[in-house]
Amino acid sequence: MSFFEEIKNSLSLLKESNYDFGVVYSQNPNNINIFILISIVLLLSIIILLINAFKKSQLSKDISTIKDSSDFLEFDKKLTKISKEISKRGIEIANKLNLSKNEICEKGLYLIKDFDIKEKIDAYKKISNNFDLISKNTKRYEIGELSNFFEEKSISLLEKNLLKEIESYYKNIRFCENDVEFVNSIVSYSKNLPNPFSILNPLQEEINKFSLAFNLDVYKFVKKLTKSFSGEIFVKSNKKLDDLFKNEEAIISEVILKHILENENKQKVYDYISNLKNKSYLQNLYYKFFEQSEDLDLSLSFIKNKTEIENDYKEYLNSQITYHWKDLEYVKYILNAPRVLQIIGHDDYRTILERMEKLQKEIDFEKSVSQILEVAKNAEKIAKEAKAIARSK
């Protein structure tokens, strides 16, 4: 006899005995186990029904109150719960969601309207993902209006609303250091699009509208970009900056040049000045930078430039050599610099070399004498020690 047949017979016997469990047990003690099992199954069924009813009630409440969310965190928590549970709570709840769908969408957009662009990208993605899940999980109820609405909104929120937000952002900022974080978030988002350049190209065009040669904020913005986070924006912006410094006619603001000298690789400024062919601007930089600091290489970069401007190069070189006369390494560094020979002249250059050679001999002689005296001093010390040892014996 099968298990189900035993259950059927036990129930029939219970009914015939007018629900007297004693009679049933006396005829077959195993029947009581069957009744216990049936009771457990019924109890579990009731518990499941109660839990489902409770969750159904809670989900219904979330659908009713989501439009009253005070912030996006609360809204997102309720929307995520709705998207995951809607397929388990029946058509009644699905119909209720259908009636609230427009309010839910409008509330989500309202709560994120004042977010910065990085927060908006994250929020739009969350809403879109939940809308897509709701669409998939409500198809079983065959409410086309409901599933189609959330499917269409999940797409349009990203392809229309978010793209409009991103465009509005990069068309209305000044591109300073603080914007790098937000531009990086746009670049990161674009990487997952079928055509990332639909965002990156117009973004780059906006950056290009600003002058890297005169706008220090934009210059700092470009220098703060990184290839790993900024991608193509980093590559194209830095190429434009490199081309600017390589352009021998380019006029780069002295403010930017000063910033580089104080904070970056000074060689970039040295190379720019030494190759600059714009005579009037080179003259202007000469008055601003030449001999205005102890930066010898900065002044030598002007001397290296062949463009003719009003200058005091010879006087500067003579004063540097005179002042640092005994510092042979310093003087040699100056004499080996480009165009110094032409500025000083062959005769003076030869005289300086002769004086340097004489000084070197004096230094070498003094060094030799010093070494001889040191050796003699050590010898005297050793002799005294030897004499002391001999006496002790």
Side-chain angles (χ1 to χ4, degrees):
M1 183 182 297
S2 69
F3 177 72
F4 291 105
E5 288 177 342
E6 288 186 9
I7 293 176
K8 183 178 180 181
N9 291 337
S10 297
L11 291 174
S12 298
L13 182 60
L14 182 64
K15 185 177 182 182
E16 290 173 0
S17 66
N18 197 22
Y19 300 99
D20 187 336
F21 284 95
V23 173
V24 173
Y25 181 76
S26 64
Q27 294 189 17
N28 187 355
N30 289 330
N31 286 333
I32 200 66
N33 294 328
I34 294 175
F35 290 139
I36 293 174
L37 180 60
I38 292 172
S39 299
I40 292 173
V41 171
L42 290 174
L43 180 61
L44 289 175
S45 299
I46 292 170
I47 292 173
I48 291 172
L49 289 173
L50 289 174
I51 291 174
N52 184 62
F54 175 77
K55 288 186 175 181
K56 184 177 180 179
S57 174
Q58 288 296 310
L59 192 63
S60 177
K61 182 180 178 181
D62 287 334
I63 292 173
S64 299
T65 60
I66 189 172
K67 63 182 181 295
D68 301 320
S69 301
S70 58
D71 54 47
F72 182 73
L73 186 64
E74 179 186 355
F75 174 87
D76 181 58
K77 184 178 179 181
K78 290 181 177 180
L79 184 63
T80 300
K81 182 179 178 182
I82 292 169
S83 68
K84 291 180 178 179
E85 295 189 13
I86 190 65
S87 64
K88 310 171 188 175
R89 306 303 168 215
I91 193 168
E92 181 183 346
I93 300 298
N95 282 324
K96 184 170 185 177
L97 178 60
N98 188 37
L99 294 175
S100 303
K101 61 184 183 297
N102 286 303
E103 290 180 314
I104 292 174
C105 185
E106 290 171 3
K107 184 64 176 184
L109 295 178
Y110 174 79
L111 290 173
I112 66 176
K113 66 182 179 66
D114 295 324
F115 281 9
D116 62 48
I117 193 62
K118 184 178 181 180
E119 293 171 328
K120 281 183 177 179
I121 290 173
D122 184 56
Y124 269 105
K125 286 167 65 178
K126 287 181 177 179
I127 296 175
S128 176
N129 289 337
N130 277 321
F131 278 13
D132 181 59
L133 188 57
I134 290 173
S135 173
K136 292 175 180 176
N137 286 341
T138 55
K139 288 186 183 297
R140 59 176 298 192
Y141 301 120
E142 297 182 353
I143 308 175
E145 181 185 355
L146 175 63
S147 56
N148 290 339
F149 173 86
F150 282 105
E151 182 179 10
E152 291 170 3
K153 284 296 181 181
S154 71
I155 296 172
S156 64
L157 282 176
L158 298 182
E159 295 186 354
K160 293 182 181 180
N161 297 64
L162 180 54
L163 287 185
K164 186 176 180 181
E165 295 277 10
I166 290 174
E167 181 182 16
S168 175
Y169 169 77
Y170 63 63
K171 284 191 173 182
N172 290 282
I173 62 168
R174 307 301 296 175
F175 293 104
C176 58
E177 284 184 284
N178 293 335
D179 293 312
V180 171
E181 175 186 1
F182 305 117
V183 169
N184 285 345
S185 68
I186 293 174
V187 173
S188 177
Y189 173 70
S190 71
K191 290 178 181 178
N192 298 315
L193 298 179
N195 179 20
F197 292 101
S198 62
I199 289 179
L200 297 180
N201 285 344
L203 171 58
Q204 187 67 57
E205 289 174 5
E206 290 299 318
I207 297 173
N208 291 343
K209 290 180 180 179
F210 293 85
S211 172
L212 286 173
F214 286 92
N215 192 319
L216 180 59
D217 286 334
V218 179
Y219 175 85
K220 289 180 179 180
F221 165 82
V222 171
K223 295 302 295 183
K224 194 174 180 179
L225 296 173
T226 58
K227 190 172 184 179
S228 57
F229 291 104
S230 313
E232 286 296 312
I233 300 299
F234 166 86
V235 173
K236 292 182 179 179
S237 297
N238 275 274
K239 183 180 185 305
K240 182 181 178 183
L241 189 59
D242 291 340
D243 291 343
L244 177 66
F245 274 87
K246 291 176 183 177
N247 185 346
E248 297 177 347
E249 293 290 341
I251 297 177
I252 301 175
S253 167
E254 62 190 66
V255 175
I256 292 177
L257 296 178
K258 184 177 180 181
H259 169 79
I260 297 173
L261 289 170
E262 293 175 351
N263 301 281
E264 298 178 27
N265 183 4
K266 297 180 180 182
Q267 190 62 46
K268 180 183 290 187
V269 177
Y270 302 156
D271 292 341
Y272 168 71
I273 292 175
S274 64
N275 293 309
L276 183 61
K277 292 182 178 179
N278 187 310
K279 183 176 180 179
S280 60
Y281 194 58
L282 180 63
Q283 186 73 67
N284 179 62
L285 293 179
Y286 171 84
Y287 293 131
K288 297 289 184 180
F289 292 111
F290 186 79
E291 205 178 356
Q292 298 302 312
S293 69
E294 295 182 359
D295 190 340
L296 174 64
D297 289 308
L298 180 58
S299 294
L300 290 176
S301 67
F302 283 95
I303 294 172
K304 182 179 178 180
N305 195 311
K306 297 179 181 179
T307 304
E308 294 295 331
I309 60 172
E310 294 182 7
N311 65 78
D312 294 320
Y313 293 159
K314 187 169 184 177
E315 290 80 356
Y316 169 77
L317 292 172
N318 286 335
S319 65
Q320 289 294 310
I321 292 171
T322 301
Y323 186 78
H324 298 90
W325 177 244
K326 290 191 175 183
D327 188 344
L328 291 181
E329 293 300 320
Y330 188 88
V331 176
K332 285 179 181 178
Y333 186 80
I334 292 176
L335 294 179
N336 290 329
R339 296 191 71 243
V340 169
L341 172 60
Q342 293 92 316
I343 300 298
I344 294 178
H346 288 274
D347 292 338
D348 289 345
Y349 192 87
R350 188 183 305 109
T351 300
I352 293 171
L353 288 178
E354 290 173 354
R355 291 174 64 186
M356 287 179 62
E357 184 179 354
K358 181 179 179 181
L359 179 60
Q360 185 65 57
K361 288 180 179 179
E362 291 175 358
I363 293 173
D364 291 342
F365 177 74
E366 291 177 359
K367 185 177 180 181
S368 298
V369 171
S370 177
Q371 290 176 345
I372 292 170
L373 291 174
E374 185 66 27
V375 170
K377 185 178 179 180
N378 290 335
E380 182 182 4
K381 182 180 179 182
I382 293 171
K384 287 180 178 180
E385 291 177 353
K387 187 174 182 181
I389 293 171
R391 285 178 179 177
S392 65
K393 291 182 179 180

